Amino acid sequence: MTTRQSPSSGGTRHEVPFFRESPSSGGIETRKADHIRINLDEDVGFDRLTVGFENYRFIHQALPELDLHAVDLTTRLFNKPLKAPVLISSMTGGTEQAQQINLNLAAAAQQYGVAMGLGSQRAGIVRPETRETFKVRHVAPDILLFANIGAVQFNYGFDVEHCYEAVEMIEADALILHLNPLQEAVQPEGNTHWKGLLHRIEQVCRAMRVPVIAKEVGFGISTDAARQLASAGVAAIDVAGAGGTSWSAVEAFRAPSPGLRTLAETFWDWGIPTAESIVQSKIGAPKIPIIASGGIRDGLEAAKCIALGAQLVGFASPMLKLANLGEEEVIAGIELIQAQMRVAMFGIGTADLDTLGKTKNLVKAER
């Protein structure tokens, strides 16, 4: 178990009477700034739960019969070419700092031909003055770009027109509907009315002219949830599994009361590990692309994701930290991930992603 300083007073997690307080001021913009600050400055990783990739290993091939430089990482999603199966996952928007982060990420994505998602655009819809913080097409005209709306907002006044607005705002190629019930449940201003959302998601999928992606935010997608989402018509599922950033931990750090802090801390290690969630989602939705994300830290883990059944691999926290430093740091990070993937594929004798997705050279690690 990792030892870390808890946001609770005295540095330990303790029980106190629970009560929920309204946020003091600032609304969406303050919350987005809090999320960036806490992810950059605090230790919000899981205590005991891991992403699960340590449970799998590749079988080394001493005679790969390949030229390393010929290993092919190219792929396509939604009929758009990608130079590598890498997604800069949805993270932020709505603040001045977020704008520069998004521009750094997008410029690097353009240079290396990878995909990118924006953070929740609710802020850009309800506060039009923040829309520029989401716009990146002027630095990334060719990338596969995902708009983003919280699915729960359909129970709080949003509809298909708001989805169109989000897509048009950033000239997106697809729309993410993110699912974060656990985070909302421990958030002071959380939206906790989730009844009837599957039907609303189905309505959006039928109405949209672009593909719709269902995405968790870090707690994973189960077999049952994947089956439900596929039946509703989503075009892809991003598992965003547990083991990386704990959004319960993030909310514990920004909780306005001791009771709400303790509530959030209780669920610090909640969720389905990313590796397990890929497998479960592939079982529940075998006919649609699975995007792997949640605590993935390097190209070796990305290669394992593809071998487990994913088509695209998302990176969030590592990219956020690099983008906060600058565009060149993001570029170097993407270069390293691609190099790691190529070496992993070379090491098991797989020349391309189709072969990697069918490999028998990924096995359960012996304990």
Side-chain angles (χ1 to χ4, degrees):
M1 177 175 173
T2 304
T3 301
R4 60 161 59 82
Q5 182 74 14
S6 167
S8 297
S9 59
T12 59
R13 300 183 192 181
H14 56 87
E15 294 184 6
V16 294
F18 166 70
F19 61 95
R20 187 180 294 267
E21 293 181 356
S22 298
S24 56
S25 63
I28 296 173
E29 187 171 357
T30 298
R31 183 164 72 252
K32 298 304 179 187
D34 285 346
H35 286 163
I36 294 173
R37 174 184 57 78
I38 291 168
N39 273 282
L40 289 175
D41 297 343
E42 305 291 352
D43 183 358
V44 289
F46 282 70
D47 267 344
R48 297 170 298 279
L49 198 67
T50 70
V51 289
F53 295 114
E54 72 280 6
N55 297 322
Y56 296 88
R57 65 178 179 84
F58 282 120
I59 298 174
H60 173 65
Q61 297 302 307
L63 285 171
E65 291 289 338
L66 287 175
D67 177 355
L68 173 62
H69 297 97
V71 172
D72 185 8
L73 296 181
T74 61
T75 187
R76 299 182 74 87
L77 185 63
F78 305 142
N79 205 34
K80 195 149 187 175
L82 297 168
K83 293 180 181 178
V86 173
L87 165 66
I88 299 174
S89 289
S90 304
M91 283 179 278
T92 193
T95 70
E96 184 176 346
Q97 182 185 14
Q99 181 176 21
Q100 189 57 56
I101 287 171
N102 282 335
L103 290 173
N104 290 343
L105 292 170
Q110 174 70 20
Q111 181 165 335
Y112 277 88
V114 300
M116 178 179 172
L118 274 297
S120 173
Q121 291 168 252
R122 178 186 172 197
I125 291 172
V126 302
R127 298 188 60 188
E129 69 273 15
T130 69
R131 291 187 178 192
E132 289 301 317
T133 69
F134 295 95
K135 294 181 179 181
V136 297
R137 274 300 186 199
H138 59 291
V139 299
D142 304 311
I143 67 171
L144 178 61
L145 185 63
F146 300 153
N148 186 353
I149 290 289
V152 74
Q153 296 308 317
F154 299 138
N155 281 347
Y156 290 85
F158 274 43
D159 57 24
V160 171
E161 292 305 316
H162 292 102
C163 294
Y164 281 126
E165 189 175 347
V167 169
E168 291 169 0
M169 184 191 306
I170 64 166
E171 302 173 61
D173 301 292
L175 171 69
I176 286 173
L177 299 180
H178 72 258
L179 307 168
N180 62 335
L182 202 286
Q183 182 188 9
E184 297 284 354
V186 300
Q187 196 176 80
E189 60 279 81
N191 298 135
T192 56
H193 175 33
W194 285 71
K195 187 174 178 61
L197 278 182
L198 186 63
H199 176 63
R200 294 179 183 272
I201 290 171
E202 184 175 6
Q203 290 177 318
V204 170
C205 291
R206 288 177 176 174
M208 294 301 292
R209 294 187 294 269
V210 298
V212 176
I213 303 165
K215 169 185 167 58
E216 240 289 351
V217 302
F219 300 99
I221 299 285
S222 67
T223 298
D224 286 345
R227 187 176 293 116
Q228 289 174 301
L229 290 164
S231 69
V234 301
I237 292 173
D238 185 338
V239 304
T245 298
S246 168
W247 282 95
S248 298
V250 173
E251 296 303 340
F253 275 100
R254 59 181 297 270
S257 72
L260 197 51
R261 244 190 333 263
T262 300
L263 179 68
E265 288 171 350
T266 302
F267 295 92
W268 198 297
D269 275 324
W270 182 272
I272 306 169
T274 299
E276 181 182 339
S277 190
I278 296 168
V279 174
Q280 289 201 28
S281 295
K282 196 66 181 173
I283 293 170
K287 295 182 179 180
I288 64 174
I290 301 298
I291 301 171
S293 67
I296 300 163
R297 294 294 180 258
D298 58 44
L300 174 55
E301 291 184 343
K304 290 181 180 181
C305 291
I306 302 297
L308 285 171
Q311 186 168 333
L312 200 64
V313 183
F315 294 82
S317 181
M319 292 296 173
L320 175 65
K321 292 177 172 63
L322 293 173
N324 194 52
L325 298 174
E327 177 187 335
E328 293 303 316
E329 285 77 6
V330 181
I331 289 171
I334 296 174
E335 285 181 344
L336 179 58
I337 289 167
Q338 292 185 358
Q340 291 165 333
M341 287 195 73
R342 283 196 176 93
V343 171
M345 293 168 66
F346 178 71
I348 61 170
T350 55
D352 54 46
L353 296 177
D354 285 342
T355 310
L356 178 59
K358 299 171 185 174
T359 185
K360 298 288 195 285
N361 286 329
L362 183 74
V363 297
K364 281 287 188 79
E366 295 180 3
R367 291 290 184 173

